[in-house]
Amino acid sequence: MKPTKKTRRVDHSERLIAAPLPDVFAAFTSTSMLARWLPPEGATGTFDHCDLRAGGGFRLRLTFDDAQVETKGDDDSDIVEVHIPTLDDGRLIVWEVEFESDDPRFSGTMAMHWYLSRKGGGTLVTIDAHQVPPGISAKDHLEGLNSSLANLAAVVEG
């Protein structure tokens, strides 16, 4: 009998945003806008470097207000290094995300696929996070994805 390879899960979320697709896409290519919407509720984000183009990437420190939040990095923060292999003219954005952590539960590269499509006068934003490290709770991750999407809506709709 062949050994089975354990696959990592895919987390999924989506939101219809009442803004035109070019405005939503701009929120992925502006450092100031990304800093406003990407950190989930209860966190702030600081970029060490940021190059929001295909082939570029960013290093982001997420600092959490609640000291009880389990972080992957140091005492109160998560640090992620993100490579952007795909930035497809407002339709698809791919981020390859690596968490800085000595904990093997957070090792590996998570691929976040952001799909943008026109729908009902707005933009449907769909995210599929592939190969989510097992140390990230599915419940917490979904809450974080939904929070970021709500923040994105607030930034581009307002």
Side-chain angles (χ1 to χ4, degrees):
M1 191 174 226
K2 285 184 179 179
T4 59
K5 181 180 178 184
K6 185 174 182 175
T7 59
R8 293 189 179 172
R9 71 178 194 268
V10 176
D11 292 347
H12 172 88
S13 186
E14 60 185 44
R15 182 178 180 118
L16 182 60
I17 296 179
L21 191 145
D23 293 356
V24 174
F25 182 71
F28 284 86
T29 58
S30 162
T31 302
S32 63
M33 290 177 80
L34 188 63
R36 289 175 50 209
W37 70 262
L38 184 57
E41 184 178 350
T44 56
T46 307
F47 291 105
D48 291 338
H49 68 82
C50 197
D51 179 6
L52 300 175
R53 62 180 173 82
F58 57 91
R59 179 183 161 96
L60 176 66
R61 175 183 294 271
L62 289 172
T63 303
F64 297 91
D65 301 334
D66 182 354
Q68 301 304 312
V69 171
E70 180 185 7
T71 58
K72 299 154 200 67
D74 59 25
D75 292 337
D76 65 351
S77 299
D78 284 346
I79 300 171
V80 294
E81 186 73 37
V82 177
H83 173 68
I84 306 170
T86 305
L87 193 66
D88 181 15
D89 193 37
R91 304 273 184 229
L92 172 65
I93 298 131
V94 177
W95 292 346
E96 295 174 345
V97 180
E98 300 230 12
F99 294 96
E100 286 192 10
S101 178
D102 293 332
D103 188 333
R105 297 177 306 143
F106 303 110
S107 66
T109 302
M110 177 175 64
M112 299 182 80
H113 294 196
W114 300 84
Y115 301 95
L116 310 179
S117 58
R118 289 180 175 88
K119 183 172 182 180
T123 304
L124 179 64
V125 179
T126 303
I127 178 165
D128 290 324
H130 301 266
Q131 299 174 320
V132 179
I136 299 174
S137 144
K139 177 183 174 284
D140 291 346
H141 198 220
L142 184 58
E143 286 175 6
L145 295 174
N146 288 334
S147 179
S148 292
L149 288 173
N151 293 342
L152 175 58
V155 166
V156 298
E157 290 175 350

